[in-house]
Amino acid sequence: MSFLKSITGRFEKFSGTSENNRDEQLRTRYYKANFNQMFQSIEDLLKADPSARITSVSKEHGEISAELNGRLPSFLTVTVITTKPYETAVDLHISTEKFSLAGMNPALKQELIKIYEKLDKTHTFIGSGKYGNR
């Protein structure tokens, strides 16, 4: 079953992080920052990217949505959640309408990893998938 899932999963046009994701790289990441610091960092990160255009900001819900018009045209949603004082979780979800015979999912995954790597440079990374096994 997992072999079939890995083959068909390549052709999915969306990717996202979650607490219990099978893929270690796509687990929810936690940072040592308060909500406002993390939310502002993500907003600044997207504003600084010339291929990104922020379409929606909802601080009340902890979400920022953006269109990415770079090498891979896609739509990104970032969710920021405070779990403890000075511990903030960041989840990413990305989708595209583009088609590829080789499958789009690996390219979408790389986009998410690049965003996490940028956040790792600006905030202290605490861990990933911390509360998935409870």
Side-chain angles (χ1 to χ4, degrees):
M1 178 67 183
S2 65
F3 175 73
L4 184 60
K5 175 69 177 160
S6 67
I7 297 297
T8 58
R10 254 191 106 70
F11 297 97
E12 291 178 342
K13 292 183 174 186
F14 63 90
S15 185
T17 62
S18 64
E19 195 66 31
N20 295 319
N21 202 309
R22 288 181 185 167
D23 188 340
E24 187 75 32
Q25 292 179 309
L26 293 178
R27 290 200 177 150
T28 302
R29 292 215 185 171
Y30 293 84
Y31 295 93
K32 187 174 184 175
N34 67 32
F35 175 84
N36 289 327
Q37 292 169 334
M38 185 57 69
F39 198 85
Q40 189 62 49
S41 291
I42 293 167
E43 198 171 1
D44 293 344
L45 183 133
L46 291 171
K47 285 179 181 176
D49 186 348
S51 68
R53 183 177 71 85
I54 296 175
T55 57
S56 172
V57 175
S58 175
K59 201 164 188 177
E60 301 82 36
H61 294 109
E63 289 188 348
I64 300 174
S65 299
E67 290 178 357
L68 305 178
N69 296 314
R71 180 181 62 84
L72 178 63
S74 52
F75 185 77
L76 173 73
T77 302
V78 182
T79 307
V80 180
I81 302 166
T82 299
T83 55
K84 294 179 183 176
Y86 286 95
E87 181 178 287
T88 305
V90 178
D91 263 326
L92 308 170
H93 297 280
I94 192 168
S95 62
T96 186
E97 292 298 318
K98 191 174 179 181
F99 175 77
S100 169
L101 289 174
M104 291 307 302
N105 197 271
L108 292 172
K109 176 183 169 182
Q110 288 307 311
E111 290 292 322
L112 298 180
I113 291 170
K114 282 195 288 187
I115 293 168
Y116 272 151
E117 287 173 351
K118 289 177 184 176
L119 288 175
D120 289 350
K121 291 177 183 174
T122 58
H123 295 284
T124 304
F125 173 66
I126 298 174
S128 60
K130 288 180 62 177
Y131 303 109
N133 296 327
R134 290 186 181 182

